[in-house]
Amino acid sequence: MLNLQQFISSIQIELFNIMDVLSKNWHFGFISFGGPPVHFQLYHKQFVEKHNWIDEKLFQEIFALSQALPGPASTKMLFCINYIHGGILAGFTSFLLWSLPGALGMFALALGVSKIGSTLPEPVYALLSGLNAATVGIIALAAVQLSEKAITDKITRALVFSTGAAGILYTALWFFPALMIAAGIATVIWDYRWLHRLISPLRRKVKAYRRPNQENFTARRNSDVETTAGELAMAPTASGNDTNSPLHIRNSILLDERDIGLEAIKEAESTSLPGTRQSPTENTSPERTAPSRIQFNVLSWQTGVYITAGFLLTFISVLVIRASLKSPPRGVALFANLYLAGTIIFGGGPVVIPLLREYIVAEGWVSSRDFLLGLALIQSFPGPNFNIAVYLGALTAAGTSLSPGMGALIGFLGIFTPGMVIAIAVMGLWKSHRERRLLISLLRGVNAGAVGLVFTAVYKLWQIGFVDVDHSEGSPLGGDPWWVVITATSFVGGAWFGLSAPFAILLGGLMGIIWYGFTKP
């Protein structure tokens, strides 16, 4: 009887958690426009500021963890927040609410695109370019807002800049995760002051070598100052209080006296013993305390190890089957390619685009025009950018025995499964070690590196934002000032006037149509 009561009680708790998740997450799948950086801002407002499910430190930890693991970053973060709050069933419920609306929309789009000709009407290209330009402005604003939270000291400021710049200069599948790992290592070295310990003896030797010369120079200068001051006191025409002296002489003497005082202060500071005066921002690391402990409804780390082992077995099996078949069926090849992509993608939506282009377009399954069209429209759809795999899966099935619906389902499962399974497996291990100072420092650097890569995403989307009949591969938005104005409008509108992301994107599309009306006959 007691077991039955416990079972009923657990069912009631699960139902309560599900209803709670429904009430807090149902709208995300319909309003989350603008890509991962905007999604993170929505999560912060909903779960930190409004409902207090997690605190600011825990939010930053989950953000860094989501960026550090493969798969869709914003999807994993939403899943992990709900997973922590209500358990694994609540996490999966939030995932479906989040991803299905956009996935269904991209599937419908694929059905429409498969029936159109090789080119689109010019007003449609103008509409898509306006949508892309507005999206770039929204993501740029989100990048600035995220950096304000990620930057806590000089090292994180440097990491945000350096990772963003490095991501712009070089692109490779391994490079983005390597940048984030390097950023985490950099903060560990900084927080534990390992470089300070190496440099401090050298600095002391340099100061010890320079101090005798500085003391001799100071003594000579003080002697000259005393002599000059005595001569000035004896010369009535040189007195700053002598009203018969010319004004410019009196002012110059007063400035000289103030300069002497400033130099004396600087000299006193420079000749202080090492350690007597330190800059709190440069020579002391801020206190790193772990967030307060909360109740985590996640699996144990032991279970996570078993899940990780099972995932690795399935991953190897998929690759072996794919390699062993000379002419694999389209469905098998599609799932294998997307399963591999979902496993090796770090950094979320901005990284998935070039990789899927390699795994889908290079295979000859989808044309470059259709791929770029999907890229332009996925920015205007709510939910995760990984939903483009649904669109590509449906188009890949065209002309084969595979139905478009089955192709879309294979695309959805192939791209999302690896990241979600890995997130479930890692959460238990993270729960056990999240209060260790080393892990906190590491995640702080990963967080800063991930924010820097958001600025990289802004640049890459800018470079392919304009599409027309002659530029089906995409070209930079800077080719026409009007697209720059649209980008600035969405950025300034969101930053200063509270313009919502969906409205900003629609406004961008409308401005694109206006551009077409004025520039085309």
Side-chain angles (χ1 to χ4, degrees), residues 474-487:
S475 60
L477 292 170
D480 191 294
W482 185 245
W483 310 120
V484 181
V485 170
I486 295 177
T487 301

Side-chain angles (χ1 to χ4, degrees), residues 198-243:
L198 295 175
I199 296 174
S200 293
L202 180 61
R203 291 178 61 186
R204 285 195 294 269
K205 290 181 180 179
V206 171
K207 288 185 177 180
Y209 174 78
R210 295 177 58 186
R211 188 176 296 115
N213 295 331
Q214 291 177 345
E215 291 175 353
N216 293 335
F217 174 76
T218 302
R220 290 196 303 269
R221 188 180 62 179
N222 290 340
S223 177
D224 293 340
V225 168
E226 291 175 359
T227 302
T228 303
E231 294 175 352
L232 292 174
M234 296 174 61
T237 58
S239 174
N241 296 325
D242 188 355
T243 56

Side-chain angles (χ1 to χ4, degrees), residues 17-93:
N17 289 335
I18 294 299
M19 295 303 297
D20 195 23
V21 167
L22 287 172
S23 65
K24 305 298 191 304
N25 291 266
W26 69 269
H27 59 295
F28 279 138
F30 300 96
I31 69 167
S32 301
F33 298 89
V38 182
H39 302 161
F40 297 135
Q41 293 296 99
L42 292 175
Y43 301 160
H44 190 275
K45 292 179 181 178
Q46 179 78 347
F47 300 117
V48 178
E49 300 175 11
K50 185 175 181 180
H51 296 295
N52 296 317
W53 278 13
I54 56 177
D55 60 13
E56 180 65 37
K57 291 183 178 179
L58 185 55
F59 180 88
Q60 296 295 336
E61 288 183 42
I62 299 174
F63 173 77
L65 195 66
S66 300
Q67 296 285 352
L69 297 176
S74 58
T75 302
K76 286 180 297 181
M77 186 166 189
L78 181 66
F79 172 82
C80 289
I81 291 174
N82 285 274
Y83 180 26
I84 290 172
H85 181 75
I88 192 168
L89 187 58
F92 275 116
T93 302

Side-chain angles (χ1 to χ4, degrees), residues 55 137 311 391 400 424:
D55 60 13
F311 169 75
Y391 168 86
T400 68
I424 294 171

Side-chain angles (χ1 to χ4, degrees), residues 262-286:
L262 290 175
E263 290 174 357
I265 294 173
K266 292 179 180 178
E267 183 66 27
E269 291 178 355
S270 65
T271 56
S272 297
L273 294 176
T276 58
R277 181 180 178 86
Q278 296 182 347
S279 172
T281 58
E282 295 183 2
N283 298 328
T284 59
S285 58

Side-chain angles (χ1 to χ4, degrees), residues 153-213:
D153 53 8
K154 287 186 176 181
I155 185 64
T156 48
R157 182 179 290 109
L159 289 174
V160 168
F161 168 75
S162 58
T163 54
I168 290 173
L169 295 174
Y170 183 72
T171 300
L173 296 180
W174 60 269
F175 192 52
F176 285 2
L179 281 177
M180 290 188 289
I181 293 172
I185 295 174
T187 51
V188 171
I189 294 174
W190 177 271
D191 289 345
Y192 281 83
R193 302 175 62 81
W194 291 336
L195 285 181
H196 296 70
R197 296 172 186 175
L198 295 175
I199 296 174
S200 293
L202 180 61
R203 291 178 61 186
R204 285 195 294 269
K205 290 181 180 179
V206 171
K207 288 185 177 180
Y209 174 78
R210 295 177 58 186
R211 188 176 296 115
N213 295 331

